[in-house]
Amino acid sequence: MFTLPQKDFSAPTTCLGPACMQDLGSSHGDDLEGECSRKLDQKLPELPGVGDSAMFSPDTSYLSSRGRMIKWFWDSAEEGYRTYHMDEYDENKNPSGIINLGVSENKLCFDLLSWRLSQSDMQRVEPSLLQYADWRGHLFLREEVAKFLSFYCKSPAPLRPENECEKEAVCVIMCASVKYNIRGPALIPRMKTKHRIYYITLFSIVLLGLIATGMFQFWPHSIESSNDWNVEKRSVRDVPVVRLPADSPIPERGDLSCRMHTCFDVYRCGFNPKNKIKVYIYALKKYVDDFGVPVSNTISREYNELLTAISDSDYYTDDINRACLFVPSIDVLNQNTLRIKETAQALAQLSRWDRGTNHLLFNMLPGGPPDYNTALDVPRDSPRRYFLISSQVGLHPEYREDLEALQVKHGESVLVLDKCTNLSEGGLSIRKRCHKHQVFDYPQVLQEATFCVVLRGARLGQAILSDVLQAGCVPVVIADSYILPFSEVLDWKRASVVVPEEKMSDVYSILQSIPQRQIEEMQRQARWFWEAYFQSIKAIALATLQIINDRIYPYAAISYEEWNDPPAVKWGSVSNPLFLPLIPPQSQGFTAIVLTYDRVESLFRVITEVSKVPSLSKLLVVWNNQNKNPPEDSLWPKIRVPLKVVRTAENKLSNRFFPYDEIETEAVLAIDDDIIMLTSDELQFGYEVWREFPDRLVGYPGRLHLWDHEMNKWKYESEWTNEVSMVLTGAAFYHKYFNYLYTYKMPGDIKNWVDAHMNCEDIAMNFLVANVTGKAVIKVTPRKKFKCPECTAIDGLSLDQTHMVERSECINKFASVFGTMPLKVVEHRADPVLYKDDFPEKLKSFPNIGSL
Amino acid sequence: MQSWRRRKSLWLILSASWLLLVLLGGFSLLRLALPSRPRPGAPQGWPRWLDAELLQSFSQAGELPEDAASPQAPHGGSCNWGACFDTSKCRGDGLKVFVYPASGPISETHHRILASIEGSRFHTFSPAGACLLLLLSLDAQTGECSSMPLQWNRGRNHLVLRLHPAPCPKTFQLGQAMVAEASPTVDSFRPGFDVALPFLPEAHPLRGGAPGQLQQHSPQPGITLLALEEERGGWRTADTGSSACPWDARCEQDPGPGQTQRGETLPNATFCLISGHRPEAASRFLQALQVLAALQEMSPARVLALRQQTQFLWDAYFSSVEKVIHTTLEVIQDRIFGTSAHPSLLWNSPPGALLALSTFSTSPQDFPFYHLQQGSRPEGRFSALIWVGPPGQPPLKLIQAVAGSQHCAQILVLWSNERPLPSSWPETAMPLTVIDGHRKVSDRFFPYSTIRTDAILSLDARSSLSTSEVDFAFVVWQSFPERMVGFLTSSHFWDEAHGGWGYTAERTNEFSMVLTTAAFYHRYYHTLFTHSLPKALRTLADEAPTCVDVLMNFLVAAVTKLPPIKVPYGKQRQEAAPLASGGPGPRSKPQAAAPDCVNQIAAAFGHMPLLSSRLRLDPVLFKDPVSVQRKKYRSLEKP
């Protein structure tokens, strides 16, 4: 497969010769960037024939042998290049806005690049992967380039350096070629001829050096990553011929009692990293018998497509020794055209056949020719005229009688079609169906029906199923013991109605009883199955390999939801990792984790306060200061529970959320070393609340995120609001699971961002928990004055505008990494049952709540 | 001279550039110049044929198979669902089961199982009206075997239930009867027709059943312990360290004995390996080590997900004999329903298919339990259902207060007393429907088709609520659509003195029930109340009206396994008493009825599902020292 390493994708010289350049702006969606690249685009057409052979006329005596060699390569691929230049800015051929600037060109390169760049995964680029932090290159270079272009290219208006956003290497190469090809002659006559020669030579050499540098930098990557360069282009007719003697061995018949664990050798898959099977495809051969008569068609279009899809996928390997699944290139898609015995002999002589162990054969039964597929890719949403339709031809008379009885009984809403007998054109009859004398277009007529019958025909497997799915019609399968395609992973109950053959006469009433909403869901599901797994040969091939992969690596298998839920459901849903509704026993207690740097006095006060909470079972101090040792053991406060000090290797905020082995309880209380104002009642009550909501963040100070309509972005809010969407982890209970998630499963570069900014670890935790559970936080107890960066006036950061701006930045950054805003806004907080009620204080379980 | 110097410097630059060129570009150029040989390592791929476009399709037009095969019966001797089960008798309201009465003396277990099926919603007394005839064949103790029943009819529409491996010889041919038995073998099992049961020990509880025992709900990386079932009931364990076998290579040496635990207790292992056949123990242990190595490649989060799923499955379908039987019947009912059977999600996520009735809906979004998985939300409106009991005063003030809520969609008045319906009702913008009830208390929880919203605000005519209270409670309910959100609470407690459960409506620091005289809950609970509770319990509620609250709370707690939610109620002091004294019904009724009904209901459920909560959900700024102008729910602040 042709893949550019992402790191280099922005480099234009990835292909043969510094010929192709892409529009950087469009690939990462930055408006500013997009705009400036566009300007360059618009200017370029004024340049005359870039890359004309003027520069390298055949008798360039100025070039050394090495230079000539390079030049030879430039000339070699010029044919495609010229064709391309007939219309460089063609809307159809070059929709991605790829600019061609080179001195030489290669059509293949251009096509591959344009194909690669228009893939969906090129829309997004991790900035860290880019070679330069500054996207537009260095300013001084841009200025130079702008000057150069303005002057030499006689730009109507001076170019603005900030608009020159290509990478340096490109600029220089481009300018050089621009100068030499176009404006060079105008400049040169001012000098003496011999100086001219020197200058030309000098420039040529500098230019060559630069080009060579470019090649050196980028070629190795492109060569390694694009095996397309090495893919041979050959004709199917040229494949080697293999003669099969009539007495060559015939393999045993298929063993019906085969199971995955008896007939498949999983040990062969042991070499395969990342839980991915490796598939080998045998080279294509042409098999002939003793008389030179071919055994079968060499290969069909579909099988070629299928093998190409496998070869392009991650499953493919060309190393037969590392493969765990083998796909013969002998085409057995249609067994009607096969000479069974000879094909079996051909299979048997494959180098790794071994009674067929670990071999995969694709056999698709003949159906209608698939040439109508393109005609109806989008089913209409218009109301469907027929409730039930049957469009199969060649049905058994018994079935047809049953169907016709249905039609008589239910009239207009049932349509039973058959082959047209009175049509003159034979070729078209395949696309026509008739009812009495009425002629219908097939398969378009399927779009008119809500339900489509898939009946037992000459063979169990039916091409009609594909047609039905594609038309967005719900299949009604009436064929006992028909194994629906991919039924191992696909839940056909969601997309079809299966009716036993015995109950065929009841079909109508069965279907009538399905509520409209369920019908709509089935239609959507059928459509999704079609699009995801049946639409193309490629989809079928990949789904097949995925199923085998799931069998071999069951612990890494794709889940039911991933196979069956349409993308819209997948996107909106969450699967809470702590999905069991349960209340952990109170006896387990919680572990308090105090993150500290060097405020020992305050830390000791926190420890003393927290140790008064009845349910505390352990105290863990995370000592984040590498330059200073924690106080001696004797100095620590004496408390009734075990106290452990963990020293960290680096002063990182993420250390607070590490899943330390010392945490034995499920509940964790994260508390800052300066939170001394929480009473024991409040902490104990917080733990009780957490027990009722063990999959949520349960914290004390609450915060809110708001959408700023003026700035069009998220804003952090710490005022007295009626809503909360976050709690600060300066004092919060949560499940230990989230430590694991924070440390190992935090998406994107959020962890690094937090450690680099030394801020927002709590916002990150709020995002993480809300995203994975889909649930809101619980704020406990009334608002208090907290000593926290944004609400006290002690350390100067107080209510500091910059702090709030930074927190807002965090929200925006995290929302973009998560691709959504997972935080949920709620209007409630948790208080003890009798809080502020007119009730004797001493009878209340948690009297000391909310006091300042 | 000058030109010479210039020339010299030029040459210098020239040669320097060449050097640069050779250094930097030489190799690349060389590579380019040489014909590129297929390099080892780089995959070659399937060739791109030049004439790929010219290849023919594998199937040609006109090749359609014209000859239709005759509809062969795919089933030779074995039955399948379509052929051997007659669904025509099951048309009405789902599965109706007739159980053959025992002939002769039966064991206690047999008796209780019979009683349990008879009490369930599936049961019918008439064999003619039944769609399934159930034959219990489980008397392992007495050695008595059931004889051929009267309505046998070659076993059509029969289910033979064998909870324990049958000691009976096959006295009669099973024919077309479905067989539900533990550990069936592949040879005799008819997929899609027979039902496989779990193997139940003799002492399995009849109802209720202990919940799962998973303690740690966190991923534990690095800890993988595998226990292998050994003969004579022992377990042999292996952990990460003892495994020297990579999963992808054949293991040839026993790395030494693992620990062997004898006795009944299960080892504290992450995985237990259960193998059906029992070959030589040593080789099995080697296989187990390979399994362990493979299992270690699973992510800890996935291991935890599997462990939790085992807990759910155990609790939903396996923990009692009654659950096993009901699950069997539910499986058969799903086959009868066909398209309106439980979707896979309902079977496989809490609360499970026994508690999520497919007769309510087949769309998971309609239930309160699956909004997260479906990415959906409960509707933003509610219906107020006001029950007007014996005093028979039209609740005008209450209607005004409820109609004032921005979330209210409709008001239904359930008129349930002797007095005639008033002719005029207050003018509100809300659609108001009056239903003439049948004087039965359990009617309050009937799934009226006129209720069109997900949320129901259940009210008693004598309740008194303010619009703010309604608004806030509804907003809270939207966050917890599967729970009940109420204003007034009561609790249950274990009464040591009487050796039973006690009930109190007094204000305490915790609560386990909310009164349904003013509570929000999902409309699904009406369906569940009416269609899934045993008839006996609903009769109990009708006879002792105070019990109806308790019963509803039991039901919701049994489904959610969570306590209800309490929200603030302003008039607590003044009007709590009439509300708390036991909901609808004459107030003079002695309160003593309540404790009894807690015990009776707990006995019928087989366990105590109620859970206590110690918190109340208040508005974020509730009674905070900040200007009342900032607060959204101001009227809740009034003392």
Side-chain angles (χ1 to χ4, degrees):
Chain A
M1 223 184 109
F2 178 83
T3 44
L4 291 168
Q6 280 219 312
K7 188 180 165 199
D8 291 334
F9 95 95
S10 64
T13 41
T14 21
C15 49
L16 199 64
C20 305
M21 178 183 158
Q22 52 159 314
D23 184 342
L24 295 177
S26 65
S27 61
H28 63 103
D30 184 328
D31 292 345
L32 202 69
E33 298 275 38
E35 211 171 275
C36 75
S37 302
R38 203 39 62 193
K39 275 180 194 157
L40 191 66
D41 270 5
Q42 287 156 0
K43 204 187 79 58
L44 274 166
E46 298 167 18
L47 304 175
V50 184
D52 270 355
S53 50
M55 177 185 175
F56 296 107
S57 53
D59 52 348
T60 318
S61 53
Y62 307 114
L63 286 180
S64 67
S65 58
R66 208 173 274 279
R68 261 187 236 116
M69 192 159 70
I70 301 171
K71 188 205 143 303
W72 181 80
F73 273 99
W74 271 326
D75 287 348
S76 62
E78 239 175 29
E79 199 181 312
Y81 163 70
R82 283 214 187 85
T83 336
Y84 164 71
H85 261 285
M86 309 261 250
D87 192 356
E88 293 138 294
Y89 304 100
D90 190 299
E91 272 181 15
N92 299 320
K93 288 183 190 148
N94 188 9
S96 317
I98 291 171
I99 313 166
N100 192 298
L101 279 174
V103 283
S104 173
E105 217 277 337
N106 180 312
K107 176 79 166 65
L108 181 63
C109 160
F110 173 76
D111 286 345
L112 287 169
L113 251 186
S114 69
W115 171 81
R116 187 68 191 90
L117 293 173
S118 51
Q119 295 295 301
S120 61
D121 61 333
M122 299 301 289
Q123 299 295 330
R124 192 162 44 96
V125 174
E126 300 294 341
S128 62
L129 293 175
L130 296 168
Q131 222 167 352
Y132 295 96
D134 179 358
W135 259 87
R136 296 138 165 224
H138 297 294
L139 186 67
F140 73 91
L141 258 169
R142 292 207 304 270
E143 278 166 0
E144 282 305 309
V145 172
K147 255 193 275 172
F148 187 88
L149 280 178
S150 315
F151 180 74
Y152 287 112
C153 309
K154 293 268 189 296
S155 158
L159 291 175
R160 299 224 319 272
E162 55 269 32
N163 288 345
E164 295 303 325
C165 54
E166 316 77 30
K167 301 286 281 290
E168 293 89 315
V170 191
C171 296
V172 175
I173 290 161
M174 184 185 74
C175 299
S177 55
V178 163
K179 178 181 169 186
Y180 270 83
N181 287 322
I182 309 135
R183 294 299 163 186
L187 182 79
I188 291 163
R190 274 186 262 142
M191 294 182 227
K192 283 184 200 163
T193 320
K194 72 177 176 191
H195 289 165
R196 228 163 74 187
I197 295 165
Y198 291 142
Y199 276 115
I200 290 172
T201 323
L202 187 63
F203 259 107
S204 319
I205 285 161
V206 170
L207 174 64
L208 284 174
L210 279 164
I211 294 167
T213 315
M215 288 192 279
F216 183 73
Q217 291 237 313
F218 301 114
W219 261 352
H221 305 286
S222 67
I223 287 171
E224 258 149 38
S225 58
S226 66
N227 50 46
D228 290 58
W229 294 110
N230 296 338
V231 168
E232 318 132 84
K233 285 239 169 201
R234 291 183 302 174
S235 164
V236 175
R237 279 163 300 180
D238 302 341
V239 298
V241 176
V242 177
R243 187 175 292 272
L244 290 169
D247 57 349
S248 63
I250 301 173
E252 302 164 35
R253 291 186 65 85
D255 183 358
L256 280 180
S257 65
C258 260
R259 297 289 177 270
M260 206 62 192
H261 58 276
T262 55
C263 296
F264 192 91
D265 182 9
V266 287
Y267 297 114
R268 283 211 181 137
C269 307
F271 300 111
N272 305 152
K274 291 182 191 159
N275 300 332
K276 204 109 185 152
I277 53 167
K278 286 291 168 204
V279 183
Y280 175 81
I281 305 175
Y282 288 99
L284 187 63
K285 304 244 169 70
K286 185 176 182 180
Y287 294 91
V288 294
D289 60 16
D290 279 338
F291 309 101
V293 182
V295 166
S296 65
N297 290 337
T298 316
I299 191 165
S300 66
R301 191 170 64 224
E302 288 81 5
Y303 201 55
N304 180 45
E305 230 173 276
L306 193 147
L307 294 181
T308 308
I310 296 178
S311 155
D312 286 347
S313 72
D314 293 346
Y315 298 108
Y316 181 73
T317 179
D318 65 346
D319 183 355
I320 196 164
N321 293 315
R322 291 186 112 45
C324 108
L325 189 68
F326 303 90
V327 180
S329 53
I330 302 166
D331 183 353
V332 292
L333 282 188
N334 184 353
Q335 65 194 48
N336 286 1
T337 60
L338 292 181
R339 292 167 64 189
I340 303 287
K341 179 177 157 245
E342 286 79 3
T343 310
Q345 286 172 328
L347 284 172
Q349 54 77 51
L350 292 173
S351 58
R352 302 280 165 128
W353 179 250
D354 185 22
R355 289 185 299 144
T357 311
N358 290 29
H359 277 66
L360 178 64
L361 301 181
F362 286 87
N363 175 216
M364 295 180 193
L365 296 159
D371 63 338
Y372 46 66
N373 283 0
T374 47
L376 35 62
D377 259 347
V378 183
R380 305 187 329 208
D381 285 328
S382 60
R384 295 176 181 249
R385 274 166 59 200
Y386 305 104
F387 185 66
L388 182 66
I389 200 169
S390 160
S391 60
Q392 280 165 279
V393 295
L395 287 175
H396 191 272
E398 224 173 275
Y399 290 133
R400 192 162 289 285
E401 271 167 37
D402 282 356
L403 287 171
E404 268 152 17
L406 277 177
Q407 183 162 31
V408 169
K409 198 168 160 198
H410 302 286
E412 285 289 285
S413 60
V414 177
L415 182 65
V416 179
L417 298 173
D418 200 353
K419 203 164 30 173
C420 295
T421 45
N422 49 357
L423 280 183
S424 50
E425 298 162 87
L428 266 179
S429 69
I430 207 85
R431 302 182 58 171
K432 297 279 180 215
R433 294 286 189 276
C434 290
H435 173 63
K436 295 194 177 130
H437 298 295
Q438 218 178 337
V439 183
F440 295 88
D441 285 333
Y442 183 84
Q444 285 85 340
V445 66
L446 294 178
Q447 295 182 12
E448 304 273 330
T450 310
F451 291 101
C452 296
V453 176
V454 176
L455 259 177
R456 173 189 293 276
R459 293 222 171 101
L460 269 177
Q462 290 296 327
I464 174 107
L465 184 66
S466 305
D467 297 342
V468 166
L469 288 177
Q470 192 181 8
C473 187
V474 178
V476 180
V477 182
I478 313 178
D480 294 358
S481 72
Y482 173 29
I483 313 277
L484 283 158
F486 301 143
S487 56
E488 184 174 335
V489 290
L490 300 188
D491 185 353
W492 280 100
K493 270 197 283 181
R494 288 170 67 172
S496 68
V497 182
V498 179
V499 179
E501 283 177 30
E502 299 267 335
K503 306 253 181 325
M504 190 163 158
S505 49
D506 300 339
V507 152
Y508 196 83
S509 59
I510 290 174
L511 298 178
Q512 281 270 277
S513 69
I514 304 175
Q516 184 56 33
R517 188 152 153 210
Q518 198 180 342
I519 294 176
E520 280 161 23
E521 262 167 48
M522 282 177 160
Q523 284 169 335
R524 201 180 56 192
Q525 194 73 18
R527 198 82 211 123
W528 149 247
F529 279 176
W530 165 259
E531 280 166 10
Y533 307 113
F534 301 102
Q535 197 172 33
S536 61
I537 294 283
K538 184 179 175 183
I540 295 174
L542 293 183
T544 312
L545 292 183
Q546 183 64 53
I547 289 175
I548 296 174
N549 200 68
D550 280 6
R551 291 186 194 159
I552 293 168
Y553 306 100
Y555 49 84
I558 287 185
S559 68
Y560 169 89
E561 286 78 18
E562 277 173 85
W563 278 108
N564 289 290
D565 282 347
V569 175
K570 272 184 206 146
W571 181 244
S573 72
V574 293
S575 52
N576 188 353
L578 298 164
F579 59 85
L580 277 189
L582 99 171
I583 297 185
Q586 194 189 25
S587 55
Q588 208 180 51
F590 66 89
T591 308
I593 301 181
V594 193
L595 184 74
T596 189
Y597 190 73
D598 58 359
R599 287 185 285 206
V600 174
E601 193 187 335
S602 164
L603 168 72
F604 284 179
R605 273 187 69 190
V606 170
I607 292 177
T608 317
E609 286 302 313
V610 173
S611 69
K612 291 176 192 161
V613 182
S615 284
L616 178 75
S617 79
K618 193 187 245 181
L619 224 152
L620 207 62
V621 174
V622 178
W623 189 264
N624 229 357
N625 189 344
Q626 285 77 40
N627 304 320
K628 203 168 141 187
N629 287 333
E632 278 173 46
D633 287 355
S634 56
L635 299 175
W636 291 83
K638 299 283 169 287
I639 57 172
R640 55 171 187 88
V641 295
L643 188 150
K644 281 211 74 157
V645 181
V646 182
R647 299 200 61 182
T648 58
E650 253 182 294
N651 180 19
K652 282 182 178 176
L653 277 178
S654 306
N655 290 338
R656 118 171 307 174
F657 296 132
F658 188 82
Y660 297 101
D661 284 340
E662 284 82 0
I663 309 173
E664 286 162 301
T665 60
E666 289 185 71
V668 173
L669 166 69
I671 189 159
D672 281 348
D673 60 1
D674 54 355
I675 304 290
I676 44 174
M677 62 298 291
L678 285 174
T679 65
S680 164
D681 266 355
E682 282 167 336
L683 286 172
Q684 178 66 23
F685 177 67
Y687 172 63
E688 300 279 345
V689 173
W690 175 83
R691 285 180 54 230
E692 290 192 33
F693 303 99
D695 54 349
R696 301 186 188 225
L697 275 175
V698 173
Y700 296 84
R703 293 292 181 268
L704 185 65
H705 73 283
L706 290 170
W707 182 254
D708 187 334
H709 287 282
E710 280 170 31
M711 307 288 286
N712 252 334
K713 54 184 198 176
W714 296 105
K715 195 176 141 226
Y716 181 77
E717 179 64 69
S718 67
E719 278 299 304
W720 296 76
T721 53
N722 283 293
E723 295 161 324
V724 284
S725 61
M726 290 175 272
V727 292
L728 303 185
T729 53
F733 287 94
Y734 59 87
H735 198 286
K736 183 188 173 185
Y737 193 108
F738 299 126
N739 271 350
Y740 167 83
L741 283 185
Y742 188 99
T743 308
Y744 300 110
K745 305 278 162 165
M746 183 64 94
D749 58 340
I750 290 184
K751 259 179 76 182
N752 295 334
W753 162 287
V754 164
D755 289 329
H757 289 72
M758 280 302 260
N759 198 349
C760 300
E761 89 285 8
D762 47 356
I763 297 181
M765 191 58 148
N766 274 282
F767 266 76
L768 183 74
V769 176
N771 186 58
V772 75
T773 64
K775 295 181 180 178
V777 295
I778 301 276
K779 175 188 161 31
V780 213
T781 66
R783 186 167 175 137
K784 279 188 155 188
K785 277 286 176 201
F786 269 90
K787 180 176 183 280
C788 55
E790 75 248 27
C791 47
T792 56
I794 297 171
D795 40 15
L797 267 170
S798 64
L799 291 170
D800 191 348
Q801 217 47 45
T802 58
H803 180 73
M804 301 300 285
V805 168
E806 198 169 284
R807 304 277 283 179
S808 298
E809 277 308 306
C810 289
I811 294 185
N812 284 299
K813 158 81 183 168
F814 298 164
S816 74
V817 172
F818 279 89
T820 173
M821 168 48 77
L823 298 179
K824 301 270 180 293
V825 179
V826 288
E827 300 185 4
H828 52 251
R829 70 160 201 247
D831 288 326
V833 174
L834 299 173
Y835 173 70
K836 293 265 176 179
D837 268 5
D838 188 6
F839 197 78
E841 284 296 316
K842 56 184 170 195
L843 293 181
K844 291 185 181 175
S845 297
F846 306 101
N848 201 1
I849 293 237
S851 49
L852 293 171
Chain B
M1 185 66 203
Q2 213 174 22
S3 79
W4 162 242
R5 199 174 284 165
R6 187 188 281 169
R7 194 172 295 176
K8 202 172 123 186
S9 62
L10 264 172
W11 276 117
L12 209 72
I13 295 169
L14 216 92
S15 39
S17 315
W18 268 114
L19 208 68
L20 203 80
L21 178 73
V22 169
L23 273 175
L24 295 178
F27 289 112
S28 324
L29 283 171
L30 208 69
R31 192 183 303 174
L32 188 76
L34 293 171
S36 59
R37 275 174 291 113
R39 288 175 304 125
Q44 281 295 293
W46 182 252
R48 303 292 194 263
W49 304 108
L50 288 170
D51 44 4
E53 298 296 314
L54 305 174
L55 291 174
Q56 287 188 327
S57 169
F58 76 104
S59 84
Q60 300 303 313
E63 212 188 308
L64 271 175
E66 300 282 312
D67 54 324
S70 64
Q72 347 122 313
H75 37 83
S78 76
C79 269
N80 71 3
W81 181 254
C84 295
F85 195 90
D86 177 15
T87 49
S88 60
K89 280 184 175 175
C90 315
R91 281 295 151 75
D93 34 17
L95 185 69
K96 282 292 165 216
V97 181
F98 171 79
V99 192
Y100 286 108
S103 52
I106 51 167
S107 68
E108 179 64 15
T109 329
H110 193 158
H111 185 76
R112 285 195 297 167
I113 291 175
L114 278 181
S116 139
I117 299 174
E118 275 165 19
S120 79
R121 65 195 142 103
F122 298 111
H123 185 254
T124 176
F125 283 105
S126 115
C131 139
L132 182 76
L133 295 103
L134 198 146
L135 186 69
L136 279 173
S137 131
L138 39 73
D139 276 345
Q141 294 118 323
T142 56
E144 190 85 13
C145 290
S146 318
S147 55
M148 171 93 77
L150 280 176
Q151 289 88 2
W152 182 246
N153 186 22
R154 283 180 298 131
R156 207 168 170 81
N157 284 30
H158 274 68
L159 172 70
V160 177
L161 192 68
R162 285 195 197 134
L163 283 185
H164 308 292
C168 301
K170 286 187 179 169
T171 44
F172 48 86
Q173 200 58 37
L174 289 174
Q176 298 188 348
M178 288 180 278
V179 179
E181 66 178 338
S183 319
T185 55
V186 185
D187 326 319
S188 62
F189 187 76
R190 294 163 290 186
F193 190 67
D194 288 340
V195 183
L197 297 183
F199 182 88
L200 299 177
E202 293 285 336
H204 207 59
L206 184 69
R207 25 175 98 97
Q213 290 164 351
L214 179 62
Q215 296 293 328
Q216 271 288 349
H217 290 266
S218 338
Q220 293 162 297
I223 302 173
T224 316
L225 196 67
L226 181 95
L228 173 71
E229 190 192 13
E230 290 213 316
E231 279 149 279
R232 298 180 305 278
W235 290 89
R236 189 173 179 188
T237 55
D239 61 20
T240 336
S242 74
S243 166
C245 295
W247 80 268
D248 44 19
R250 285 185 178 80
C251 202
E252 271 151 27
Q253 268 201 330
D254 191 330
Q259 309 101 305
T260 303
Q261 286 183 12
R262 294 272 164 228
E264 293 296 298
T265 50
L266 272 170
N268 185 18
T270 312
F271 300 99
C272 291
L273 190 75
I274 296 151
S275 62
H277 48 95
R278 298 176 172 252
E280 196 198 341
S283 73
R284 279 175 65 223
F285 191 66
L286 290 176
Q287 286 169 7
L289 290 181
Q290 286 187 324
V291 173
L292 179 63
L295 290 173
Q296 276 166 15
E297 306 218 342
M298 258 163 131
S299 79
R302 181 147 163 70
V303 173
L304 177 64
L306 290 175
R307 297 184 91 176
Q308 290 186 89
Q309 189 68 12
T310 61
Q311 300 290 290
F312 155 67
L313 292 177
W314 164 261
D315 200 39
Y317 306 114
F318 294 97
S319 66
S320 70
V321 174
E322 192 175 81
K323 280 179 191 164
V324 170
I325 292 174
H326 283 199
T327 307
T328 311
L329 296 179
E330 204 74 51
V331 167
I332 294 169
Q333 180 171 275
D334 264 11
R335 293 184 191 158
I336 295 168
F337 281 170
T339 54
S340 48
H342 289 99
S344 163
L345 178 71
L346 268 58
W347 276 104
N348 293 300
S349 57
L354 300 187
L355 293 168
L357 304 182
S358 62
T359 43
F360 174 69
S361 168
T362 49
S363 303
Q365 300 98 296
D366 290 343
F367 290 88
F369 317 113
Y370 312 107
H371 286 301
L372 285 173
Q373 286 109 310
Q374 293 290 304
S376 57
R377 303 175 53 126
E379 254 178 278
R381 317 286 298 278
F382 68 86
S383 307
L385 180 64
I386 306 174
W387 190 77
V388 188
Q393 290 299 322
L396 305 181
K397 246 179 96 181
L398 188 60
I399 290 176
Q400 294 288 349
V402 171
S405 166
Q406 51 176 326
H407 305 292
C408 185
Q410 59 175 154
I411 296 174
L412 297 115
V413 175
L414 185 58
W415 194 261
S416 185
N417 63 70
E418 304 300 324
R419 292 173 57 170
L421 279 171
S423 51
S424 69
W425 290 91
E427 293 276 317
T428 59
M430 283 305 140
L432 189 133
T433 319
V434 181
I435 305 167
D436 202 355
H438 306 273
R439 324 281 178 274
K440 272 204 311 197
V441 179
S442 56
D443 281 351
R444 288 178 55 199
F445 301 123
F446 187 81
Y448 297 102
S449 57
T450 37
I451 302 175
R452 290 189 308 270
T453 58
D454 283 346
I456 293 175
L457 170 59
S458 168
L459 290 168
D460 184 280
R462 292 163 299 163
S463 321
S464 154
L465 284 176
S466 71
T467 308
S468 275
E469 282 165 340
V470 170
D471 277 343
F472 178 69
F474 179 69
V475 170
V476 169
W477 177 85
Q478 284 183 301
S479 292
F480 306 96
E482 78 281 22
R483 302 207 209 180
M484 291 219 279
V485 174
F487 299 89
L488 288 166
T489 58
S490 57
S491 329
H492 75 289
F493 58 92
W494 181 253
D495 191 345
E496 288 288 350
H498 295 91
W501 294 105
Y503 169 93
T504 175
E506 273 175 35
R507 292 165 67 198
T508 55
N509 283 297
E510 53 183 42
F511 64 93
S512 55
M513 289 174 265
V514 294
L515 303 192
T516 54
T517 48
F520 278 100
Y521 51 80
H522 197 279
R523 116 186 121 98
Y524 172 66
Y525 290 119
H526 275 200
T527 306
L528 203 59
F529 187 95
T530 310
H531 295 306
S532 89
L533 282 179
K535 226 172 282 163
L537 280 180
R538 273 181 293 137
T539 321
L540 174 79
D542 283 335
E543 283 164 5
T546 35
C547 284
V548 84
D549 262 343
V550 180
L551 186 53
M552 191 62 168
N553 275 283
F554 261 77
L555 181 67
V556 177
V559 172
T560 60
K561 306 195 177 358
L562 293 169
I565 283 173
K566 174 177 165 53
V567 287
Y569 182 55
K571 302 199 180 64
Q572 189 111 19
R573 263 190 82 69
Q574 303 90 314
E575 296 182 34
L579 267 174
S581 72
R587 281 174 53 192
S588 55
K589 197 128 194 166
Q591 245 221 281
D596 262 328
C597 81
V598 173
N599 281 312
Q600 280 177 36
I601 296 172
F605 271 77
H607 67 297
M608 169 49 78
L610 293 181
L611 291 162
S612 292
S613 169
R614 311 189 76 176
L615 60 94
R616 181 181 75 197
L617 292 183
D618 292 335
V620 170
L621 297 180
F622 186 68
K623 302 212 173 165
D624 274 358
V626 65
S627 158
V628 86
Q629 294 306 313
R630 277 178 173 258
K631 299 184 181 179
K632 188 172 171 189
Y633 301 100
R634 278 165 225 163
S635 63
L636 292 185
E637 303 279 321
K638 285 174 197 149

